[in-house]
Amino acid sequence: MAWRTWKTGCLAKVETEEEYNSVMKTVPTTTRPKFIEDFGYEYTDEGKLVRSDCGKPFAWLGQRHYDALGDAIVPSLQRIMVEKLGLVEKRLPVDADAEKEPTTNIFMSPDALTADTLVLLIQGSGAVRAGMWARALCINETLSLGTIFPYLDKIKERGWGVIVFNPNNTHVVDPPPKDEDVQDKVKYWLGTPDDVYKKEFEQLQEAATPIRENDLPSEHCTYVWDKFVTQAKAKDLLVIAHSAGGRCTRVLLKEKGEEFLSRVRGVAFTDAKWKKEKPGQNVNGPLHKLLKPLTINWAASDTPLDTKLPALVEMGPIAQRSAGHPKHEWTSAACMESVFAFLDGKLAEK
């Protein structure tokens, strides 16, 4: 077929020239796209990512295109958090000159430092940033499944404050080449095999510039605690943490000890990941005992929601319940009602 110039990704299976041309409209005309609009995508009122020209869903065009689209989704979601959900963005480090050094961001409700109850919301690891539970769900499913937005609604309904952590954004990579340095933009997006691109990506990650005082997820979490949580009026803290957010919570407990325990009333994990110990170590044991009365981990499982599950070795006696979904990235959305019922109950115990 003469019109099939490229066969990258889904283009190899497209059956009509009209569909081919529609998919090609999702190839940015710049090497440095900033928002999903630069890819020819938009979110519907129902939170579904679709092509702007035809309303059809996301079309795979290779890893470079996918990663760049995922990066562009972040500012789009964070714009919603500020403009529609009323959160306030804070740049870190708080004393940084953003023109001279890299920074990261967190988000807070306007009442975060004055509310009686404050939620610390911590996402997992990988490509997700503040506001996301799972990038793949933001692209292939809906925002109600892939983002923290429904959680923010529940928090606001209860009159609680919230701080949205951002423990994955620890380094800043060099930007892509400038437009004037790339003659063929389509070839730039579609002409690099995924394995070659992945090597380039790894090299960029290795050369990335660390963000001062936030260059590890653990450092980020203790920094946010020291700069913001300690200033908060709330006597009652609640933690909601997904995946590697469990390790971040572990660090806060280990580092802040009595300060953490004196204020935290409940910890809700969604398929949390916990640091496994080497033979002979016994750091987790004491932490298990401290967290046990406060915590439930809703783990990925094909059993019904809230079904009791066997204990996990690395999490000791911490209660394990089914999240009601077998896939890790779906757990936060699947168990949300149970999470808030649990946290409501922990507050009522005091």
Side-chain angles (χ1 to χ4, degrees):
M1 298 179 185
W3 45 264
R4 199 191 303 273
T5 307
W6 290 93
K7 297 181 181 180
T8 306
C10 72
L11 293 175
K13 298 180 180 180
V14 167
E15 296 182 351
T16 68
E17 184 175 5
E18 180 182 13
E19 174 65 3
Y20 178 90
N21 290 335
S22 173
V23 173
M24 288 298 292
K25 289 179 182 178
T26 71
V27 178
T29 58
T30 173
T31 57
R32 297 184 178 185
K34 295 181 179 180
F35 299 104
I36 59 175
E37 292 83 0
D38 295 324
F39 291 83
Y41 281 104
E42 63 185 16
Y43 276 105
T44 66
D45 292 341
E46 293 74 31
K48 182 74 176 177
L49 185 72
V50 298
R51 283 177 257 161
S52 301
D53 71 322
C54 63
K56 291 184 177 181
F58 167 73
W60 173 265
L61 287 177
Q63 196 65 47
R64 185 195 295 278
H65 182 267
Y66 180 84
D67 284 349
L69 175 61
D71 290 341
I73 285 175
V74 173
S76 299
L77 298 185
Q78 293 181 350
R79 187 170 56 191
I80 292 173
M81 288 200 293
V82 172
E83 296 178 0
K84 295 186 177 181
L85 300 178
L87 298 191
V88 177
E89 182 181 18
K90 298 288 185 180
R91 304 302 304 187
L92 308 182
V94 294
D95 61 346
D97 183 342
E99 295 184 359
K100 296 182 179 179
E101 65 174 306
T103 62
T104 184
N105 59 350
I106 61 171
F107 294 83
M108 303 166 57
S109 58
D111 62 347
L113 302 185
T114 59
D116 293 330
T117 300
L118 177 64
V119 177
L120 312 183
L121 202 155
I122 311 173
Q123 84 263 9
S125 60
V128 293
R129 297 293 183 264
M132 284 181 169
W133 289 133
R135 184 172 74 170
L137 296 183
C138 293
I139 292 176
N140 298 302
E141 299 297 334
T142 66
L143 296 183
S144 62
L145 296 172
T147 73
I148 66 172
F149 296 172
Y151 276 74
L152 294 177
D153 289 340
K154 294 279 189 184
I155 290 168
K156 188 173 182 179
E157 287 171 7
R158 287 161 169 75
W160 302 343
V162 64
I163 297 178
V164 181
F165 287 57
N166 199 6
N168 298 326
N169 194 31
T170 59
H171 291 68
V172 174
V173 300
D174 290 337
K178 296 179 180 180
D179 283 343
E180 55 265 33
D181 296 330
V182 178
Q183 184 174 2
D184 189 338
K185 304 297 190 301
V186 175
K187 184 178 180 180
Y188 170 80
W189 288 109
L190 304 183
T192 304
D194 284 352
D195 58 340
V196 175
Y197 162 72
K198 288 178 180 178
K199 290 181 181 179
E200 294 177 3
F201 179 82
E202 291 171 359
Q203 292 172 351
L204 285 172
Q205 294 298 312
E206 291 175 359
T209 304
I211 298 173
R212 177 168 55 89
E213 298 181 271
N214 289 265
D215 61 344
L216 292 171
S218 56
E219 288 190 3
H220 170 80
C221 290
T222 54
Y223 184 89
V224 174
W225 182 284
D226 290 340
K227 297 297 183 182
F228 297 95
V229 179
T230 58
Q231 304 302 314
K233 168 189 170 184
K235 294 181 180 179
D236 299 329
L237 300 181
L238 301 170
V239 178
I240 301 174
H242 174 61
S243 189
R247 287 196 286 266
C248 291
T249 306
R250 175 189 182 277
V251 168
L252 288 176
L253 173 58
K254 186 172 180 289
E255 296 294 326
K256 302 305 173 183
E258 188 58 38
E259 184 184 358
F260 181 99
L261 292 170
S262 67
R263 299 178 70 187
V264 174
R265 303 289 176 250
V267 178
F269 288 147
T270 61
D271 212 28
K273 304 303 177 186
W274 195 270
K275 184 177 181 180
K276 295 183 179 180
E277 293 186 322
K278 297 178 181 178
Q281 287 185 325
N282 188 30
V283 176
N284 283 346
L287 299 181
H288 290 157
K289 293 179 181 178
L290 295 173
L291 273 183
K292 179 184 176 182
L294 304 173
T295 309
I296 291 179
N297 178 45
W298 279 270
S301 171
D302 57 8
T303 60
L305 178 64
D306 292 324
T307 300
K308 291 184 179 181
L309 300 177
L312 296 175
V313 173
E314 63 269 27
M315 298 186 76
I318 292 174
Q320 305 293 318
R321 299 288 184 269
S322 170
H325 201 287
K327 293 185 178 180
H328 171 71
E329 63 269 25
W330 287 71
T331 52
S332 296
C335 69
M336 181 178 69
E337 295 298 334
S338 294
V339 164
F340 281 93
F342 167 70
L343 295 177
D344 288 340
K346 298 308 291 185
L347 286 180
E349 291 177 3
K350 61 172 187 165

